[in-house]
């Protein structure tokens, strides 16, 4: 600051201010300093590289490449710029280009840690783990105090099932940097994977003694205790923290979340109402109202939730959380366009409100406008570029657009900074599956299951890992356990059904689904899955009855009329199938999915004009329609000869 007062346009002073801001986790300020340094001195390669890296962390690798390009034009051998461009190319799926830049950076600066870690990651993700291991071991030997290299080596050891070696790396890193919370959390995760639960707890408690108010450590310890089935100790831990810091409302909220995880919403509600009583018009009370409204809405109390939100907005009309909950209530009622309009009106006054932009993105996802969802999340990340939930949501949107490499790299950075973040671990699992990275998928699944052993999602992921390894019995146990905890969970029910049907175990599938349906008798999804099994078994009339039942329970779901149409076609009633689908287009949430089926039926029957009309209707809807666009082009080129169609 003193240097900037003396020389306010000094690029070096601006750059170092950015470095300090980044170390203090004030990433938005850091980015502005880096940009100012580049504006003042375009040849300042470190500022340019760190600015590009900030955009990379925010999930914008194409922008990163734009930033480094001018620097590389004048300094083609700058290792910092080459390394950032390699990472950006990797995110964009340009693996040859990434290798070229990373290997060039290593040739120029063999000891540059970021280049070493990046090239090792490229080797590992391209089935060359031996090269990755050798490179990282050499790097750690040359620079034993470098944390990034040790973390990368520990993660590689874990993926190779060398857990003792992974533990040794993390123990050395904790010894070198004992006050770094993330190191302690990673060590505890490795110990938990080795079955050393007591040692994992000791590590986290030792870290808590040096940083008793660190929320990341507190939550990691609570997660570990819960994973050991010691919910009572987790509760005691949080209550002691509340006694020590009664005005730290986040601890109260963590206690409420613990009760929620234990399926005890009454206690969670009591905690939040106590906060409202203690801080009725302050930030704690406002946040508690929003959280309580979310719980009530999940339990079907939408009206009570809305009253709480209105209370909060009466105190503070610009309360972002309350506005977000109100919009989410509209989303839950299937009023996504209304929620979008409401959020846009609010964002006129608060254009950088990350929470509102995040909810706007969710509304756009609900309406199928994925590119608009991405735009909203990128705007939010401009204000909070390193916010974990925002980066995870962006990764999920990228996955939905099949930009898998970009999504994976984005979420890997989140897990590296926040190793116990469950949302990030879940997103990393999905990204790893999408990129066929089995080792990373298994590592993410193990970490998620260790953090939340009774989470239906964690159990579902562990089932997928077991199934992919050919351990069908273990997979079935995981799916069944997930459904015991959450009988309405669709993903494990669908995975269990698909696995049993694929192995021709139709009776077992029906038996399992019938047992689960008794605990969720009004679930249209479970009814549809039973219909799917009957369809696979050739029992078309029984399947038809179940699909009609599912449609009656949930008229807006597109899977149900789709299944009914399949059953009708199997019985030879194509006209009935087409009529069912045409009626469904008018009421379902995803009419384009139904139109796609209608187009497919028309094409198979040689009614190409009808198929073309359906695809044109999909494009006219304005939603993402890459497959429909491709299929329409094929039909026009194949079955029409007029110039307009060919154009």
């Amino acid at each position: 600051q003193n240097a900037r007062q003396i020389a306010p346009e000094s690029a070096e002073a601006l750059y170092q201010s950015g470095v300090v801001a980044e170390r203090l986790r004030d990433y938005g300020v850091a980015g502005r300093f880096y940009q100012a340094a580049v504006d003042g001195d375009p040849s300042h390669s470190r500022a340019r590289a760190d600015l590009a890296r900030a955009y990379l962390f925010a999930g914008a690798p194409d922008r990163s490449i734009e930033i480094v390009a001018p620097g590389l034009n004048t300094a083609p051998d700058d290792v910092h710029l080459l390394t950032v461009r390699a990472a950006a190319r990797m995110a964009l799926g340009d693996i040859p280009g990434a290798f070229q830049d990373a290997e060039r950076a290593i040739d120029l600066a063999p000891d540059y840690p970021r280049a070493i870690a990046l090239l090792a990651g490229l080797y590992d993700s391209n089935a060359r783990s031996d090269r990755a291991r050798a490179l990282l071991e050499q790097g750690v030997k040359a620079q034993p105090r470098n944390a990034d290299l040790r973390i990368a080596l520990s993660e590689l050891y874990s993926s190779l099932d060398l857990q003792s070696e992974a533990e040794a790396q993390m123990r050395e890193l904790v010894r070198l940097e004992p006050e770094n919370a993330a190191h302690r959390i990673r060590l505890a995760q490795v110990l938990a994977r080795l079955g050393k639960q007591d040692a994992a707890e000791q590590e986290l408690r030792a870290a808590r003694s040096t940083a008793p108010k660190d929320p990341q450590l507190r939550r990691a310890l609570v997660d570990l205790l819960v994973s050991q089935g010691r919910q009572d100790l987790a509760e005691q831990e949080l209550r002691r923290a509340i006694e020590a810091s009664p005005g730290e409302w986040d601890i109260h909220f963590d206690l409420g979340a613990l009760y929620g995880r234990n399926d005890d919403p009454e206690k969670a509600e009591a905690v939040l109402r106590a906060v409202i009583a203690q801080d009725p018009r302050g930030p704690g009370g406002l946040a508690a109202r929003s959280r309580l409204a979310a719980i009530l809405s999940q339990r079907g109390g939408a009206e009570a939730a809305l009253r709480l939100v209105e209370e909060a907005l009466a105190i503070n009309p610009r309360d972002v959380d309350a506005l977000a909950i109100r919009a989410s209530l509209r989303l839950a009622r299937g009023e996504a366009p209304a929620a979008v309009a409401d959020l846009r009106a609010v964002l006129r006054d608060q254009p950088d409100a990350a929470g509102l932009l995040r909810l706007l993105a969710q509304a756009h996802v609900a309406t199928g406008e994925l590119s608009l969802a991405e735009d909203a999340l990128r705007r939010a990340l401009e204000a909070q570029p390193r916010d974990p939930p925002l980066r995870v949501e962006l990764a999920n949107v990228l996955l939905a657009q099949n930009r898998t490499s970009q999504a994976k790299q984005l979420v890997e950075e989140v897990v590296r900074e926040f190793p116990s973040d469950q949302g990030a671990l879940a997103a990393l699992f999905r990204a790893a599956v999408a990129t066929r990275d089995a080792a990373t998928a298994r590592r993410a699944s193990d970490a998620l299951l260790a953090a939340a052993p009774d989470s239906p999602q964690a159990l579902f992921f562990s089932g997928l890992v077991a199934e992919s390894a050919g351990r069908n019995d273990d997979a079935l146990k995981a799916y069944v356990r997930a459904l015991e905890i959450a009988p309405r969970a669709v993903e494990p029910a669908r995975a269990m059904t698909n696995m049993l049907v694929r192995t021709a175990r139709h009776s077992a599938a029906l038996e399992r689904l019938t047992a689960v349906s008794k605990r969720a008798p009004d679930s249209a999804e479970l009814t549809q899955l039973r219909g799917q099994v009957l369809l696979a078994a050739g029992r078309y009339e029984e399947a038809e009855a179940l699909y009609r039942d599912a449609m009656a329970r949930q008229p807006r779901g597109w899977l149900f009329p789709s299944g009914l149409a399949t059953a009708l076609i199997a019985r030879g009633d194509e006209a009935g199938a087409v009529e069912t689908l045409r009626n469904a287009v008018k009421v379902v949430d995803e009419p384009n999915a139904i139109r796609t089926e209608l187009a497919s039926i028309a094409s198979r029957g040689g009614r190409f004009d009808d198929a073309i009309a359906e695809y044109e209707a999909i494009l006219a809807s304005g939603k993402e329609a890459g497959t429909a666009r491709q299929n329409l082009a094929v039909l026009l080129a194949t079955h029409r000869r007029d110039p307009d169609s060919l154009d």
Side-chain angles (χ1 to χ4, degrees):
Q1 286 174 344
N2 289 341
R4 293 204 321 272
Q5 286 177 354
I6 297 168
E9 296 183 1
S10 165
E12 182 62 17
L14 290 165
Y15 168 66
Q16 295 294 348
S17 296
V19 172
V20 172
E22 186 172 349
R23 298 278 178 87
L24 294 172
R25 293 179 178 259
D26 198 346
Y27 301 112
V29 171
R32 288 193 287 275
F33 275 127
Y34 293 148
Q35 183 68 66
V38 172
D39 291 343
D41 181 5
S43 66
H44 199 301
S45 63
R46 292 298 301 273
R48 187 176 291 278
D50 285 350
L51 177 62
R53 190 163 49 85
Y55 276 99
L56 187 63
F57 284 149
D62 45 357
R63 178 70 179 124
S64 295
I65 289 177
E66 290 176 10
I67 291 169
V68 301
L72 286 171
N73 286 339
T74 56
D77 288 340
D78 187 283
V79 294
H80 307 101
L81 296 174
L82 282 169
T83 303
V84 175
R85 189 171 70 176
R89 284 177 162 176
M90 181 180 176
L92 292 169
D94 179 9
I95 303 304
F99 265 114
Q100 180 181 344
D101 283 344
E103 289 173 340
R104 178 61 179 156
I106 289 290
D107 288 342
L108 293 166
D111 294 333
Y112 182 40
R114 282 182 176 152
I116 294 171
L118 180 67
L119 184 55
L122 280 165
Y123 283 143
D124 185 39
S125 61
N126 287 274
R128 296 160 72 182
S129 55
D130 53 339
R131 295 284 300 274
R133 180 177 176 179
L135 185 62
L136 287 170
E137 287 177 342
Q138 182 181 351
V140 168
K141 184 177 181 180
Q143 301 178 72
R145 302 188 69 86
N146 187 280
D148 290 339
L149 291 179
R150 283 196 184 274
I151 290 169
L153 182 56
S154 177
E155 289 178 348
L156 179 63
Y157 282 148
S158 288
S159 71
L160 297 173
D161 258 348
L162 301 172
Q163 303 297 348
S164 297
E165 287 85 345
E167 177 188 348
Q169 290 301 320
M170 292 315 305
R171 284 201 179 280
E172 180 62 15
L173 195 50
V174 167
R175 187 188 70 79
L176 292 169
E177 299 181 7
E179 295 181 1
N180 189 305
H183 298 343
R184 297 271 191 174
I185 292 171
R186 287 191 186 90
L187 174 57
Q189 288 177 341
V190 172
L191 292 169
R193 283 198 292 271
L194 285 167
K196 301 178 180 179
Q197 302 290 342
D198 291 342
E201 182 181 342
Q202 289 172 10
E203 285 298 332
L204 291 175
R205 289 195 181 280
R208 288 268 289 146
S209 66
T210 60
K213 293 192 175 184
D214 189 306
Q216 194 178 176
L217 281 171
R218 181 180 70 240
R219 288 166 186 151
L221 178 57
V222 167
D223 286 343
L224 179 67
L225 294 171
V226 170
S227 73
Q228 297 170 345
R230 301 158 75 189
Q231 283 85 351
D232 53 339
L233 287 180
E235 180 181 352
Q236 291 173 21
E237 191 71 28
L238 289 171
R239 290 201 174 278
R240 280 196 295 268
I242 288 172
E243 289 175 8
S245 305
E248 292 282 340
W249 304 118
D250 280 348
I251 309 175
H252 297 257
F253 299 150
D254 286 350
L255 180 60
L258 175 65
Y259 289 136
R261 286 163 64 181
N262 293 341
D263 199 20
D264 197 343
E266 288 80 10
K267 284 188 176 180
E269 181 177 337
V271 169
L272 294 171
R273 290 197 183 279
V275 173
I276 294 170
Q278 293 172 58
D279 191 29
R281 302 184 66 83
L286 290 171
R289 284 183 179 87
S290 296
R291 290 168 184 267
L292 181 55
I295 291 175
L296 293 174
S297 65
Q298 290 170 2
R299 296 169 62 194
E303 295 304 319
L306 193 56
R307 283 196 297 272
L308 279 167
V309 167
E310 297 297 350
E311 278 181 29
L313 291 172
I315 298 169
N316 178 12
R318 295 175 178 268
D319 186 298
V320 171
D321 290 334
L323 289 166
I325 292 291
R326 186 168 69 180
S328 67
L329 288 170
R330 288 175 171 166
L331 269 178
R333 291 200 293 258
E335 301 169 1
V340 169
D342 191 15
L343 289 164
R344 288 198 182 283
V346 176
L347 284 163
R348 289 193 196 102
D349 294 330
Q350 302 181 65
D352 297 327
L356 293 174
L357 287 165
R358 181 183 178 191
L359 193 64
L360 177 62
Q362 292 171 1
H364 282 311
V365 168
T367 58
E369 300 164 310
L370 296 180
S371 58
L372 292 178
E374 181 182 346
D375 289 344
L377 289 169
R378 292 200 186 282
R379 283 171 55 199
L381 282 165
E382 286 178 8
Q384 298 182 23
R386 302 291 280 274
D387 179 79
L390 285 175
R391 290 152 73 191
V392 169
E393 292 221 16
L394 177 57
N396 286 328
V397 169
L398 294 172
L399 279 173
Q401 298 177 81
N402 292 319
R403 291 154 66 186
T404 52
S405 297
Q406 196 172 338
K408 184 174 174 233
Q409 186 177 43
L410 176 60
V411 80
E412 278 179 331
E413 292 293 342
V414 181
V415 171
R416 197 164 287 124
E417 292 177 59
F418 303 94
S420 62
D421 187 291
Q422 293 179 29
L425 288 168
L428 179 57
F429 176 87
R430 294 187 187 280
V433 169
T435 55
R436 302 190 179 190
D437 183 350
T440 298
R442 187 184 63 183
R443 189 168 68 243
S445 173
D446 289 346
L448 187 59
L449 197 62
D454 289 331
S455 160
Q457 184 180 54
L459 288 161
F460 165 59
F461 289 166
S462 71
L464 291 180
V465 169
E467 189 177 348
S468 69
R471 296 184 286 108
N472 287 352
D473 289 344
D474 290 341
L476 184 59
K477 289 177 184 176
Y479 298 146
V480 169
R481 175 60 182 150
L483 291 168
E484 287 173 353
I485 297 168
R488 296 180 185 278
V490 176
E491 285 186 316
R494 185 170 291 127
M496 178 186 73
T497 302
N498 290 340
M499 185 181 75
L500 292 174
V501 167
R502 189 173 59 252
T503 54
R505 298 160 67 185
H506 301 125
S507 297
L510 281 174
E511 182 181 344
R512 295 282 186 186
L513 288 170
T514 301
V516 176
S517 296
K518 289 178 180 177
R519 299 179 57 212
D522 59 339
S523 170
E525 288 82 4
L526 291 174
T527 302
Q528 178 263 330
L529 287 172
R530 286 161 58 205
Q532 177 184 325
V533 176
L534 291 169
L535 195 61
R539 296 158 62 179
Y540 304 129
E541 291 187 5
E542 294 172 79
E544 178 185 337
L546 286 174
Y547 283 125
R548 290 191 187 280
D549 185 11
M551 285 173 62
R553 295 182 190 190
Q554 195 171 317
R556 299 177 70 88
W558 71 272
L559 277 173
F560 314 135
S562 171
L564 175 57
T566 303
L568 291 170
I569 289 173
R571 291 179 53 208
D573 185 6
E574 183 176 303
V578 171
E579 182 183 2
T580 295
L581 294 172
R582 290 205 183 284
N583 291 334
V585 166
K586 306 168 188 174
V587 295
V588 298
D589 289 328
E590 297 289 342
N592 285 349
I594 300 296
R595 289 192 179 105
T596 300
E597 292 206 39
L598 283 167
S600 179
I601 293 171
S603 291
R604 289 200 303 271
R607 302 190 306 279
F608 301 115
D609 287 345
D610 290 347
I612 287 170
E614 294 297 343
Y615 285 130
E616 286 177 336
I618 292 173
L619 296 187
S621 71
K623 295 186 178 181
E624 304 288 338
T627 301
R629 192 178 303 278
Q630 175 177 305
N631 291 347
L632 175 58
V634 170
L635 286 171
L636 291 170
T638 307
H639 300 290
R640 288 188 178 173
R641 291 289 177 268
D642 61 285
D644 287 344
S645 294
L646 297 176
D647 287 343

